[in-house]
Amino acid sequence: IGPGVCISPETSVGDNVVLSPHVVLQQSLVMNNTFIGAGTMLSHSVVGDGVRIGPNCTADGEPAKVNADGEVKSLETIGAMIGEGSVVGGNVSFRGGIIVGHGCRIAPGKTICFDLPNGAQVM
């Protein structure tokens, strides 16, 4: 855990996780073997096993509608859900309620406004 990291009480961080300097985690779940780059802010988010997130990424918790098992559900506050083994470049922003599948690759500087299926690449 680097200097200046802020982890809210409602957050759970797994084993072998690297939190670079000035990361902020609010009401989020970070699974094992994950790397989160400096200056990243995640709120109300879930980060899967083995995910690598570059510096200065954001996933703010906001009201959103999520499609779960064919049903659309309204959620008061939700961030991003990033599937295991995904790699996220620096300066990426996620809209609330976004689901990123397993093994996705996202290039730096992108804004993710739509769900990504497993193995998707955003270049």
Side-chain angles (χ1 to χ4, degrees), residues 10 19 26 39 64 66 75 98:
E10 302 84 14
L19 300 176
Q26 298 175 329
V66 176
L75 300 173
I98 292 300

Side-chain angles (χ1 to χ4, degrees), residues 60-107:
D60 290 329
E62 59 185 70
K65 292 186 180 187
V66 176
N67 186 343
D69 295 327
E71 259 185 77
V72 176
K73 305 210 182 231
S74 293
L75 300 173
E76 188 174 311
T77 307
I78 187 149
M81 291 157 275
I82 304 171
E84 66 182 49
S86 292
V87 177
V88 178
N91 299 303
V92 171
S93 295
F94 296 91
R95 298 280 313 262
I98 292 300
I99 299 172
V100 174
H102 303 296
C104 291
R105 303 287 180 264
I106 302 171

Side-chain angles (χ1 to χ4, degrees), residues 8 15 18 30 39 53 66 69 96-97 103:
S8 77
D15 295 327
V18 174
V30 179
I53 298 176
V66 176
D69 295 327

